[in-house]
Amino acid sequence: NYEYMNAVIRARGTKLLGRGELRSLAFGTMEKLEIFLLGSMYSERYREQLALSTLSPLRRVENALSAGISDQLKGMAALARGEAILYLDLFLSGGDLYNGRIALRSIWSGSRSSSPPLWHRYALLDAAFYDDLWLRCPKAADAAVRCHEEDHGLASILGEAFRQIHGSNDLASAERRLFTGWLDYWGRRLSPFHDCNAGRMKEFLGRIADTWNFSIWLRCFMGGEEECLPEKTFISGGWGLSREKLASSKSTSALFSDSPWEGLFREEGERKPAENQRAFHLSFLEWQRDLYRKNLLGIDVAIGFGARVLSEWQDLSMLSAGLSIGIPPEDMERHLRPED
């Protein structure tokens, strides 16, 4: 039912905010942002937050945005039939990857607030599960047990990562176990499908593997570490960066030459690793956003719409935080996404 699903999605896409509207909010006030939310697609969720008078304006806005974004993405997924259900579940489970890493890092560091963070609520595992990990599982062993009580393969994968923390106290190994387990989980589910839509989702998985490998490469070769070995350090299944090239390349130009990522970085001297990492993630997000106008009779439109919804969340979250602490509007404007 791609034709019907995409027609509905594209109609909803017309309600997403343009750069001009976001810029107007940047040059406004926190109060004006709140008034805007009351007249927007986030109004129902923001009115819920207004009933919680003990919360600060910033926290009210953050909660409303998190819930409103989840409503949009789950509403999109509810339109799917047949194979599209699998493909959109894969997209939404990126929230589980994010939430799982937050939970792992909090237990490893021993540092967590009394209230849970803003989870990505569109994830396949619900927020109540992640709240349990945050509030009721002070140790990695407790979290591993709670994960295995949950009847879901993604929870089991996270449980194995907590077991790694419990056994070795090695965060990098635990995150790697989570990441590879997540990629294998979805790779197995995609393997029976061979049409162009399945190919797109396999590319999506491969690009996610590239983001992981690139972050490791940055730490190894731009951070001064020389002992990285492909079979121990980089994960397989990447879309455009082979493990061999990751192990041998000493500059971004060498790494990306003759790869689908070529042209991502202009030669502007040495950038800081964090700047390179941000550029890579932004490139991945822009690739997803651009799918919105690709194959109008396939999964592209839904993935592109989902990425645009997440971009809007990033922009509005940045604006709400900036307005709350008085960041100059020109500085906030520079961080808004470009106009489509």
Side-chain angles (χ1 to χ4, degrees), residues 19-35:
R19 183 180 172 87
E21 293 170 289
L22 292 166
R23 183 182 182 280
S24 295
L25 292 173
F27 281 81
T29 63
M30 192 67 174
E31 181 180 1
K32 288 183 179 179
L33 176 59
E34 293 183 90
I35 293 171

Side-chain angles (χ1 to χ4, degrees), residues 53-308:
S53 58
T54 58
L55 295 177
S56 68
L58 175 59
R59 190 64 177 182
R60 287 199 303 262
V61 169
E62 289 176 334
N63 286 345
L65 291 175
S66 176
I69 291 299
S70 177
D71 292 342
Q72 291 189 67
L73 293 179
K74 288 184 176 181
M76 172 188 72
L79 297 169
R81 299 291 184 273
E83 65 183 40
I85 296 174
L86 171 67
Y87 300 155
L88 293 183
D89 276 354
L90 164 54
F91 180 81
L92 296 182
S93 74
D96 293 291
L97 200 56
Y98 175 89
N99 293 344
R101 294 184 77 178
I102 294 294
L104 280 175
R105 292 178 181 190
S106 71
I107 283 187
W108 175 79
S109 67
S111 174
R112 59 175 62 180
S113 61
S114 58
S115 58
L118 285 172
W119 303 115
H120 285 217
R121 300 186 193 185
Y122 58 86
L124 299 187
L125 298 171
D126 62 29
F129 165 72
Y130 290 109
D131 283 348
D132 271 358
L133 293 179
W134 191 271
L135 299 172
R136 301 180 182 180
C137 301
K139 297 181 179 179
D142 303 321
V145 171
R146 176 65 185 88
C147 287
H148 287 292
E149 290 174 349
E150 196 78 4
D151 185 21
H152 200 291
L154 292 175
S156 298
I157 291 166
L158 180 56
E160 291 303 305
F162 278 119
R163 286 184 60 186
Q164 182 74 34
I165 290 277
H166 176 68
S168 67
N169 198 36
D170 186 341
L171 177 63
S173 295
E175 288 191 326
R176 179 189 177 93
R177 178 165 291 190
L178 172 64
F179 219 93
T180 55
W182 186 89
L183 289 170
D184 289 344
Y185 178 89
W186 289 110
R188 290 194 303 272
R189 280 153 182 76
L190 289 177
S191 61
F193 300 92
H194 303 286
D195 64 356
C196 63
N197 293 305
R200 182 67 81 194
M201 299 314 297
K202 290 172 184 177
E203 179 183 355
F204 179 81
L205 276 186
R207 285 177 179 266
I208 291 178
D210 282 347
T211 63
W212 167 273
N213 282 335
F214 183 60
S215 68
I216 298 300
W217 180 87
L218 282 173
R219 289 206 298 267
C220 291
F221 291 115
M222 300 193 76
E225 300 179 27
E226 298 291 344
E227 70 277 8
C228 296
L229 299 173
E231 63 270 21
K232 294 182 179 179
T233 307
F234 303 109
I235 60 177
S236 59
W239 173 71
L241 301 177
S242 70
R243 298 169 77 185
E244 293 73 22
K245 197 163 191 179
L246 284 156
S248 61
S249 299
K250 301 292 185 178
S251 67
T252 53
S253 57
L255 179 62
F256 293 116
S257 65
D258 300 321
S259 87
W261 294 102
E262 190 171 17
L264 175 60
F265 296 112
R266 299 188 305 272
E267 292 298 331
E268 297 176 346
E270 288 299 323
R271 281 177 171 169
K272 294 179 180 179
E275 294 172 338
N276 280 317
Q277 185 73 68
R278 174 176 169 77
F280 197 89
H281 279 283
L282 286 176
S283 176
F284 180 41
L285 181 60
E286 285 305 309
W287 170 78
Q288 294 174 70
R289 287 170 51 83
D290 288 345
L291 294 179
Y292 186 68
R293 294 193 174 94
K294 297 291 185 181
N295 181 6
L296 301 184
L297 295 177
I299 199 63
D300 286 4
V301 173
I303 301 303
F305 173 78
R308 287 167 184 243

